[in-house]
Each structure stands twice: as structure tokens, then as C-alpha cells.
Amino acid sequence: MRRHHIVVQHLVFILAALVSIVSGVCYAQDVRDTVKETFKVRPGGTLFLDIDHGDVEIISARGSEVLIEVERIAKTSNRSAASDMFKRHDLSFEQQGGDVYVKGRYEEAGFPWSRWRDRGKLRTRVFVRVPERFNVDFRSGAGNIEISSLSGSIQGSTGAGNMKITSVQGVLDLSSGAGNVEIREAAGQIGVSTGAGNVELRGVQGALEIRTGAGDVTAHLTRQPEGDSSLESGAGNLTVFVSQQVGVNVDAVAG
């Protein structure tokens, strides 16, 4: 009986320790830091955004300012370690005439084991507000891109991330290595290429040039296109829905 009592005590002690560890993990909080910049511009300028990783949201508003907020989230409760991560995240902001340049790079630790340890521990979220008539030129290594309510050309690429473009007017030229592209309510010439991602278009008006290596393409033509369009997929389905008031000729080939 005595031995049984000792075993129970040990089990209770182990369970209590596990509960303590799990509780500590659950209540450990990330360390956050926000960088803000504001630039006075005129409509018609261009936002140049070049970052190695992070989610991006770009919207428009009345006025003549470009407002930038970069939220950095260190996945650690150690403030000293978080401060080191923030120092190694190189952010730069610059204005040249009516254009604004934003660049972000994260310098990982020098040793291979440190790079593996640090990978994914720093997350970034970029929010930008631009005038209603403004252009966007972006480059992203990895991260989702959302752009809405903008009048101007939009061009850019991401290595691994989804894109969502909504309510825009102007030329679109987008490419993604591994991510889906969704475009809704767009007027203007649209060019999209993906290596491995689906493309969905709704309420688009303008000539379409869509290429995907391994993905499906779905297009809803609710307004009369203003030019010839081409949709191609190396290994995926092509589906086009055409409203009754839209008139087009179709030339389709399937391998």
C-alpha cells in the first residue's frame, strides 16, 4: 500500500508540472512593435513597396497623404530577444517627389542553427493608406496582398502568397509563384500569371491575359470586354461564365 501511495504522489506531481508548463505556454504573450510614417503627396504618384515577408493591405482615402503602419510581432515573451529581432528587421521609408518607397528586410542570425531557430519568429503586417488616385508597385517574398478601392495602375509580384484585388480602375499586372489571385470589380487591362495557384475574376471589364502553370482559372464576364482576352492553364480547368448581355467569340483548345 505504501508503494502504491508513493506512485500516486509522483503522478500527481508530474501532472501538476505539466499543467504549469502548459499554462505558461498558453499565457505567454507575443511582443509587438508598430512603426508609423506619413508623407504628403499629390494624387497620381506611386507607392513602391519591397519587402521580404509579411501580409500587406493597401486601401485608399480622400486626401493627399500616404499613411504607413508596419506592425512587427515577435513570437516570444522575452523582450530582450524581441528587441534583437526588431533591430535585425531593417525598415526604410523614403519620398522622392510624389512617390513613396518602402523597403523591409529581416537579417537572420549568422549561424545555420540560429537561422533555423529564428525562422518564422518575426511576423509583419503592413497597412498603407494612399490617395484615391494612386499607383502601386509591390514586391513581396512571402505574404498575402490585399488592395481595394483604388484608381491607378497596380503591378507587383509575390513568391508565396495570395492576392485579393477589389474595386479598382486601371491596368493590373500581377504574378505569383505559389498563391491564388482573386480580382473583383476591376475596370482596365488585366494581366495575371501564377506558377501554382488558382485565378478567379468577377465583374471585370477589359482585356484579360491570364496564365497559370498548375491552377484553375474561373472568370465571370458580367460586362462587355473592351478587347480580346486569352486564358491559359498548363494543368488546370478553365471556366468562363458570360452574362446574357455580353457578346464574345470563343476559340477553345484542350490538350
Side-chain angles (χ1 to χ4, degrees), residues 2-17:
R2 180 63 176 173
R3 182 180 179 184
H4 180 69
H5 178 68
I6 294 173
V7 171
V8 171
Q9 283 184 331
H10 280 290
L11 287 174
V12 170
F13 174 78
I14 292 171
L15 288 173

Side-chain angles (χ1 to χ4, degrees), residues 4 10 39 57 78 87 122 130 132 152 159 173 188 191-192 195 247 253:
H4 180 69
H10 280 290
F39 299 93
E57 182 182 2
N78 186 319
K87 288 179 181 178
L122 181 69
V130 300
E132 292 175 317
D173 185 5
V192 178
V253 178

Side-chain angles (χ1 to χ4, degrees), residues 189-204:
Q189 184 176 345
I190 299 174
V192 178
S193 65
T194 70
N198 301 323
V199 180
E200 182 179 0
L201 307 103
R202 291 178 177 269
V204 295

